[in-house]
Amino acid sequence: MYSQLNPHALWALLLLCSPSAHAAKCPQHCVCDQIQLTVTCINRNLTKVPPTIDEITVKLDLRGNDIQELPPGAFRHTPYLTHLSLQRCNIHHIKEGAFRSLGRLVFLNLANNNIEILYQESLDGLSSLKQLLIDRNRVEEIQPGAFSQLGFLNLLSLTHNQLVYMPNMAFQGLLNIKWLRLSHNSLNYLDIEAFAGLFTLTRLSLDHNELQFFPTETMTRLPEVTRLDLSYNPMTYLGEEMVSMAKLTHIFLDHMSLQELVSTAVSKSPSLIHLDISHNQLRVIQPFSEGTPNLARVNLAGNPIYCNCYLRPLREWTIQNKVKLMGTCAGPAHLAGENLEAVYPPELRCQSQEAMLQAEFEEATRVKPAPTEEPDSKVKCPVNCVCEAETHHSSCENRGHTKVPRGFSSNTRLLDLRGNHFHYIPSRSFPGVAQVVSLHLQRCKIVEVESGAFIGMKGLIYLYLSENDLASLSPDAFKGLPQLTYLHLEKNRFTGFPIGAFKLVPSLLALHLENNGITKLEPDTLIGAEGLRALYLTGNVIDRVSHRALDQARDLDTLHLGGNKLKEVPTEALGKTENLRDLRLSWNSIRWVGPNAFQPLGRMLKELYLDNMGLEKMSQDSLAGLGPGLRSLFLEGNQLEEVPNLHPLSSLEVINLADNPLMCDCPLLPLRLWIEKVNLKVRATCANPPELKGGKVKDVHIFRVCPGGESLLYAPTATPKPAKAPKSSKPKPMYLNGRRKMKMKKAKPKTQKGANKKLAAVKKATKRLRTA
């Protein structure tokens, strides 16, 4: 009889016969499909996630409601969700742990909400997520570590937000990202390490932003990018070797303000195929004859290209190299409107000097009429600066000013004064700009900031004083900055921590002091900065941390001490940081880590970096106390022959043991047994004994003869493939873990039949959604 039923009817019958079918729940005003296991509650004026959604739901659509805030555990009743839509829900806040039960979710849409900040914990728990859409919100800040748990994310879209600046390591943790979309923001500055760690990124969209220069150093951190879109940014110049990206095939530089493009601008991008520089202000282009052997298309449409003898080298080069040239001639008159490919080199001639100048003058007056004056709408702007009314940005960057200019519009929100020669910032240097949110004073040769220099800047959140000559700070230097949240003091001349300088900035959350000359952290280092959440001290010369140095750091969750001169883990000082989640000690000279070195951090620590320290020995109990909280452990680039006990680290998602001279003998058996147990790819290679050198710890058979190693399984030996960065191990998606659990449950007693049927239904519906 059952064979005569169609598949949908048979599936419905099985559900009706299942004990769970009679208890199926569907919230009021929602539509539930028990075959597809979907729940739809669109435009129902819901103020919270309905708690009565059936547990086995795999697809939930809550678009068009008024949820406003996602509390912790908002989806704890629906652990099998794979797709979640939350567009247009007026969401302002995502509390820590809101998504923590959604380990199987692969798609999340948060577009068209009112999210302003992506906190470090906002997206915790989404370890299987592949697509995340946060378009058309009000995001103006991404806290470091906000994406650290999204190791399987392929697509991240943050278009149409309010991002102005991208800090270092903003996207750390995205180990599998393919496409990052940052279009339609107000980005005007990218830190050099803004995209660090995105080793799998192939496509980056930065169009419709405010970038004035090509961020060469930042882009060199993206080894796999093939498509780069920088359209609609106000760049005027592209200089020598500015685009240095080995695998770049397509670059879009259209609709900018380019007036000059050096012939070697893309010579360090040997894979380039398509170059789009259409709709700029280019009149003459030289051949791209160096370093671009694969270039096949150059789009010059919409440029005022003058087809005379100056264009002949480019035209000859395109013919010789079979490069397609798109665009039309803007002059002289007898060639105006002709396709560039229809004009051959003999036709590209220059007239006499006098005639050519006359023709160019006539052309310039024809295509560039004098602008009509509109004095009433003109934005206030000091001499030798550029101010934009629409974006509220004002810039006097690299203009040689020796005093802080005055006379900016009161509506200015971003003020860029980088690259000038101020030397001193006197008291009350910024009158009338109370709405400025971001102030850039990098590379201004500043040696002193006087008391009250920033008085009146009540709205300031970001202050950049990097790359100056500051060696000390007045206790009142930051007076009048009640909203200051992010302070950058890296690359100055501090030899001591500026104790007491932060007592007047109660909102300070992140303090950057990297690459100074600080030698030690003394008692009460953070006095006056009790609310600090992140302290960055990488690249100093710190050789001692006082036991009381961090006594005020009760809320500190990020501490970077990499690249200093420490000889030991500062365990006593760390004991005061009750909420520390991210600790980095990389590139110190710590040779030995003793027992219980991180015991005080066991409750909260999530990320631990102990790489490239020359570490020779770790006590078996050196990681004691960390237990199930630790998610990432980096030990690469050391001198370890053995590793400490890793068995308590049951929640690790990333571990890196590469480049250690591991001794593959019986003392290393606990590591081998741990590798067998965990659901991780562990990069660990034998260095000794010589006959096993280069073999993977998980594959060599030496451990089988050790007591306790008889039952080990070994993967078949395969020809090793070149490793791709990052070297960090990658976790398997949680939905695969779920499948393993389902299989195990089938062997349980008959009393588990109802649960087994429910899990089987989830499995089938999930498969159907993925293949749809």
Side-chain angles (χ1 to χ4, degrees):
M1 178 182 69
Y2 292 120
S3 62
Q4 296 175 356
L5 293 172
N6 63 49
H8 289 290
L10 182 59
W11 176 249
L13 183 60
L14 288 173
L15 276 177
L16 289 171
C17 295
S18 167
S20 63
H22 301 291
K25 296 175 288 185
C26 187
Q28 189 178 12
H29 305 307
C30 297
V31 177
C32 303
D33 185 337
Q34 293 184 32
I35 301 298
Q36 298 289 337
L37 301 183
T38 64
V39 175
T40 303
C41 312
I42 301 176
N43 298 325
R44 297 297 183 181
N45 293 320
L46 299 175
T47 57
K48 63 180 181 179
V49 179
T52 56
I53 298 172
D54 199 295
E55 180 187 19
I56 65 173
T57 301
V58 297
K59 189 172 183 180
L60 176 59
D61 192 340
L62 294 171
R63 283 175 290 169
N65 287 289
D66 189 27
I67 295 176
Q68 297 195 21
E69 181 177 281
L70 292 175
F75 300 94
R76 63 181 180 274
H77 301 301
T78 53
Y80 300 113
L81 283 183
T82 61
H83 293 69
L84 177 58
S85 298
L86 289 165
Q87 305 99 295
R88 305 190 315 278
C89 282
N90 196 25
I91 296 172
H92 290 76
H93 303 290
I94 301 175
K95 294 290 189 178
E96 178 181 358
F99 300 117
R100 197 160 284 163
S101 61
L102 297 182
R104 294 172 175 81
L105 200 70
V106 296
F107 174 84
L108 174 59
N109 195 337
L110 288 164
N112 296 94
N113 282 291
N114 293 300
I115 300 168
E116 295 181 355
I117 300 176
L118 293 176
Y119 294 99
Q120 188 176 33
E121 307 86 2
S122 295
L123 302 168
D124 278 9
L126 299 174
S127 56
S128 296
L129 198 65
K130 292 189 175 181
Q131 294 188 6
L132 175 58
L133 310 180
I134 318 179
D135 307 298
R136 298 184 184 277
N137 276 266
R138 298 181 180 180
V139 177
E140 59 185 31
E141 178 192 340
I142 300 173
Q143 290 194 350
F147 305 113
S148 61
Q149 309 305 317
L150 308 185
F152 275 89
L153 200 69
N154 299 145
L155 168 65
L156 174 59
S157 188
L158 281 159
T159 68
H160 297 88
N161 278 285
Q162 297 177 12
L163 294 167
V164 173
Y165 157 72
M166 198 56 65
N168 287 329
M169 304 303 291
F171 302 98
Q172 64 177 343
L174 299 180
L175 305 180
N176 281 283
I177 190 71
K178 300 297 182 187
W179 189 3
L180 176 58
R181 301 197 304 216
L182 295 168
S183 313
H184 293 275
N185 279 277
S186 300
L187 289 168
N188 68 84
Y189 183 71
L190 307 174
D191 260 336
I192 292 175
E193 301 290 340
F195 300 127
L198 302 184
F199 296 109
T200 60
L201 190 70
T202 59
R203 187 170 181 180
L204 176 60
S205 301
L206 282 165
D207 54 286
H208 294 86
N209 276 285
E210 299 296 328
L211 296 170
Q212 297 181 33
F213 302 98
F214 188 88
T216 304
E217 287 190 79
T218 304
M219 293 302 168
T220 58
R221 271 61 173 179
L222 297 170
E224 298 295 322
V225 165
T226 60
R227 295 178 69 93
L228 175 61
D229 191 348
L230 283 163
S231 312
Y232 293 92
N233 277 276
M235 295 185 195
T236 58
Y237 172 75
L238 206 63
E240 295 181 4
E241 300 181 353
M242 274 197 170
V243 186
S244 180
M245 303 176 74
K247 293 192 177 181
L248 189 68
T249 60
H250 292 70
I251 185 169
F252 300 89
L253 302 169
D254 55 285
H255 293 89
M256 302 206 300
S257 303
L258 287 176
Q259 298 173 16
E260 183 178 355
L261 184 82
V262 177
S263 62
T264 57
V266 294
S267 62
K268 292 294 185 180
S269 299
S271 303
L272 195 63
I273 297 172
H274 180 91
L275 172 62
D276 189 343
I277 44 177
S278 61
H279 301 282
N280 280 285
Q281 299 168 23
L282 300 166
R283 294 177 63 82
V284 178
I285 303 289
Q286 295 299 317
F288 300 97
S289 56
E290 182 185 340
T292 54
N294 300 309
L295 192 59
R297 293 185 300 279
V298 177
N299 190 351
L300 286 170
N303 283 280
I305 300 295
Y306 209 78
C307 292
N308 58 12
C309 61
Y310 295 115
L311 187 68
R312 186 181 299 166
L314 177 70
R315 189 70 188 99
E316 290 175 342
W317 173 78
T318 58
I319 293 172
Q320 180 182 350
N321 293 277
K322 298 180 179 179
V323 176
K324 184 174 179 60
L325 193 60
M326 294 169 275
T328 58
C329 299
H334 70 285
L335 291 177
E338 286 286 340
N339 288 328
L340 295 178
E341 287 208 326
V343 181
Y344 288 88
E347 301 176 73
L348 298 170
R349 299 186 298 270
C350 286
Q351 303 165 307
S352 66
Q353 182 76 6
E354 183 179 351
M356 187 172 67
L357 290 173
Q358 177 64 24
E360 288 193 357
F361 173 76
E362 292 174 357
E363 180 67 21
T365 57
R366 184 177 69 83
V367 299
K368 294 181 180 178
T372 55
E373 293 189 8
E374 297 181 17
D376 293 338
S377 62
K378 189 175 181 181
V379 65
K380 287 178 61 179
C381 196
V383 176
N384 205 18
C385 297
V386 177
C387 306
E388 298 179 6
E390 185 178 350
T391 60
H392 305 298
H393 293 179
S394 298
S395 175
C396 313
E397 182 181 0
N398 297 319
R399 298 299 176 96
H401 291 283
T402 57
K403 294 183 179 179
V404 177
R406 298 196 175 193
F408 294 101
S409 167
S410 60
N411 294 325
T412 303
R413 291 180 61 80
L414 184 143
L415 182 54
D416 191 346
L417 302 174
R418 280 176 287 181
N420 288 288
H421 310 291
F422 298 140
H423 298 287
Y424 297 91
I425 305 296
S427 178
R428 300 182 182 274
S429 287
F430 301 92
V433 286
Q435 293 188 42
V436 169
V437 172
S438 181
L439 174 60
H440 292 261
L441 290 167
Q442 303 98 307
R443 304 189 308 278
C444 287
K445 301 182 179 180
I446 298 169
V447 297
E448 182 181 352
V449 177
E450 292 186 1
S451 299
F454 306 103
I455 283 179
M457 304 189 80
K458 297 179 181 179
L460 194 66
I461 294 175
Y462 302 90
L463 176 56
Y464 301 92
L465 284 163
S466 321
E467 299 179 73
N468 283 293
D469 296 314
L470 292 167
S472 62
L473 285 170
S474 160
D476 296 328
F478 303 119
K479 184 178 181 180
L481 298 178
Q483 301 299 321
L484 186 64
T485 306
Y486 301 93
L487 177 57
H488 288 257
L489 293 166
E490 62 265 33
K491 294 185 179 179
N492 275 278
R493 299 182 182 275
F494 292 102
T495 57
F497 193 93
I499 297 175
F502 313 111
K503 63 182 180 180
L504 299 178
V505 280
S507 299
L508 190 65
L509 293 182
L511 175 59
H512 291 263
L513 278 161
E514 302 99 316
N515 299 297
N516 278 282
I518 298 171
T519 58
K520 57 182 177 291
L521 298 183
E522 298 177 310
D524 301 322
T525 289
L526 297 180
I527 191 167
E530 285 81 0
L532 199 67
R533 295 285 299 275
L535 177 58
Y536 302 94
L537 291 164
T538 303
N540 282 278
V541 288
I542 298 169
D543 58 11
R544 184 171 64 85
V545 180
S546 164
H547 292 177
R548 296 183 49 231
L550 306 176
D551 277 11
Q552 290 77 28
R554 301 294 179 184
D555 294 325
L556 198 67
D557 66 16
T558 299
L559 177 60
H560 290 191
L561 285 166
N564 279 284
K565 303 291 183 182
L566 295 173
K567 301 293 184 184
E568 60 183 18
V569 177
T571 305
E572 290 292 329
L574 294 174
K576 307 298 170 54
T577 56
E578 301 171 352
N579 295 300
L580 199 66
R581 298 165 62 93
D582 182 349
L583 174 62
R584 304 195 181 195
L585 295 170
S586 316
W587 298 98
N588 279 281
S589 300
I590 300 175
R591 299 289 184 261
W592 153 254
V593 178
N596 304 310
F598 306 100
Q599 182 83 37
L601 308 177
R603 188 171 65 89
M604 294 297 293
L605 195 65
K606 300 289 186 293
E607 320 284 333
L608 179 57
Y609 290 75
L610 301 173
D611 54 287
N612 298 288
M613 301 196 307
L615 190 57
E616 297 171 357
K617 183 74 174 176
M618 295 181 73
S619 163
Q620 280 297 307
D621 297 323
S622 58
L623 302 177
L626 295 182
L630 197 67
R631 296 175 184 172
S632 302
L633 176 61
F634 297 88
L635 284 165
E636 70 270 21
N638 284 300
Q639 297 298 316
L640 294 171
E641 293 187 350
E642 301 177 16
V643 296
N645 181 19
L646 301 177
H647 282 76
L649 309 182
S650 56
S651 298
L652 268 189
E653 297 174 357
V654 179
I655 182 169
N656 196 341
L657 294 168
D659 300 321
N660 278 285
L662 296 176
M663 173 67 75
C664 286
D665 207 342
C666 291
L668 204 66
L669 177 62
L671 172 63
R672 179 63 186 86
L673 292 171
W674 183 79
I675 292 174
E676 191 76 22
K677 174 185 175 183
V678 297
N679 205 9
L680 289 173
K681 180 181 177 184
V682 181
R683 295 181 59 84
T685 306
C686 303
N688 285 297
E691 61 270 18
L692 297 178
K693 186 174 182 178
K696 295 180 180 178
V697 170
K698 69 173 183 177
D699 293 340
V700 298
H701 294 263
I702 186 70
F703 300 106
R704 187 170 286 170
V705 302
C706 298
E710 301 85 355
S711 61
L712 285 172
L713 300 175
Y714 289 86
T717 304
T719 304
K721 297 180 180 178
K724 290 185 178 180
K727 294 182 178 179
S728 310
S729 308
K730 299 176 183 177
K732 291 185 178 179
M734 287 191 66
Y735 66 80
L736 292 184
N737 297 348
R739 289 178 181 176
R740 174 176 290 185
K741 291 175 185 176
M742 292 176 193
K743 291 178 181 178
M744 293 172 62
K745 287 188 177 184
K746 288 182 180 179
K748 291 191 175 183
K750 293 182 179 180
T751 55
Q752 294 293 318
K753 277 186 178 179
N756 288 345
K757 287 182 179 179
K758 183 180 291 187
L759 290 170
V762 172
K763 180 178 177 182
K764 290 179 180 178
T766 301
K767 183 177 181 182
R768 185 183 299 106
L769 280 171
R770 289 202 181 95
T771 57

